[in-house]
Amino acid sequence: MTAENGGSTTHLCVQRKAAEGTRVTLGIANHDHGSEIDPRRPPPLPSSPGVKDGNRMGTPSPPPVPLLPPQGPSFAGWSIDGLAGVARRHPLLCAFAFSLLFFMGVEYTIPMVSSTSPPLDLGFIATKPLNRALATAPALNTLLAALNTVFVGMQTVYIVWTFLVEGRPRPTIAALFMFTCRGILGCSTQLPLPQGFQGSGVDFPVGNVSFFLFFSGHVAGAVIASLDMRRTRRWGMARVFDSLNLLQSVRLLASRGHYTIDLAVGVGAGYVFDDLAGKYEASKLKRGGEHRRPCFSCECSCEGR
């Protein structure tokens, strides 16, 4: 189909592809300028006065999304059948919604722990027999501490290996982020040493001279290493690290080396800082081509090659 407009001919080409599926592509070409407009590209935003076209820095930002949608509030279109469908398709989210109401009731009615009493820790209650066993068997406590230190060494060796040998800095970046945040939080709030703490001279940090309780770097480091193993399809190593991390958590609770909340936040910290390291790596390091591996020492601009 053609249309005459001021001496220029504009062709509208419609191609329909049948067989497996139907696909329509539109291509609009202006023969006067020899340019072709990609229909998949969104139209450019109108330029503000005094701003040159094509200046990305000067392109006006779109207006904010209104708080009240033009079509009205979302809940106005809800129905009983729709809510039932949500319950069928998203049972986990519904369980979380009920748990929100449940724990709101618990929080507003639970008696507070006195300032003169030790913290109430369910993990300590569950591991009380193990704590007594470690207190009465120093040799067993030392053995478990030594094994735990070996596991920390395994985490460290793997994370450093991925950087120095494989040239993949993400686990190392995640560990740097994690331990920096842990140091800031540990200095901000210094928790008291739990009652019944069973230290050992072979534990890491060596001798337990002093250390931060919140949050567990032991657990977070193991999570960072395990996540990297999954990305590289080292499934067997990841399962071993997860199992050892679980045993490590039980041992830390039994020896009163960490509160339960320290271990739980350690797991979350491993995921969070691994994700942040990935975002940092994606924003700073060029993937693919000549600069697939990061160049930290050169002065060239990897972004422009």
Side-chain angles (χ1 to χ4, degrees), residues 112-295:
M112 299 295 291
V113 178
S114 172
S115 58
T116 58
S117 302
L120 176 63
D121 192 297
L122 296 181
F124 288 0
I125 296 175
T127 57
K128 186 178 294 185
L130 296 177
N131 179 255
R132 286 197 297 262
L134 295 180
T136 57
L140 176 62
N141 182 52
T142 300
L143 175 61
L144 295 179
L147 294 175
N148 205 158
T149 300
V150 170
F151 181 49
V152 174
M154 293 167 58
Q155 303 172 28
T156 305
V157 169
Y158 179 83
I159 291 174
V160 174
W161 178 279
T162 59
F163 177 50
L164 296 181
V165 179
E166 299 182 33
R168 297 186 298 104
R170 178 168 175 172
T172 303
I173 296 172
L176 294 176
F177 286 174
M178 183 269 291
F179 280 109
T180 300
C181 180
R182 180 174 180 268
I184 295 173
L185 294 178
C187 291
S188 301
T189 302
Q190 299 183 26
L191 298 174
L193 194 65
Q195 294 183 1
F197 171 69
Q198 303 297 324
S200 173
V202 297
D203 207 348
F204 181 85
V206 178
N208 291 296
V209 177
S210 62
F211 58 94
F212 295 132
L213 285 167
F214 188 86
F215 48 88
S216 174
H218 290 66
V219 171
V223 170
I224 290 174
S226 175
L227 290 175
D228 183 79
M229 293 170 184
R230 282 173 165 76
R231 274 193 301 272
T232 53
R233 299 180 298 279
R234 296 164 179 163
W235 311 114
M237 295 177 64
R239 285 190 289 269
V240 170
F241 261 60
D242 290 340
S243 301
L244 293 177
N245 200 12
L246 178 60
L247 295 176
Q248 171 183 248
S249 300
V250 175
R251 182 254 162 184
L252 290 172
L253 287 175
S255 64
R256 304 301 187 253
H258 274 295
Y259 294 101
T260 302
I261 193 173
D262 304 333
L263 306 178
V265 174
V267 174
Y271 279 92
V272 168
F273 290 113
D274 177 78
D275 183 68
L276 290 178
K279 288 181 170 59
Y280 178 86
E281 190 180 37
S283 65
K284 296 295 183 181
L285 305 179
K286 178 79 171 179
R287 290 184 179 273
E290 297 178 358
H291 286 266
R292 183 182 181 188
R293 290 192 175 186
C295 50

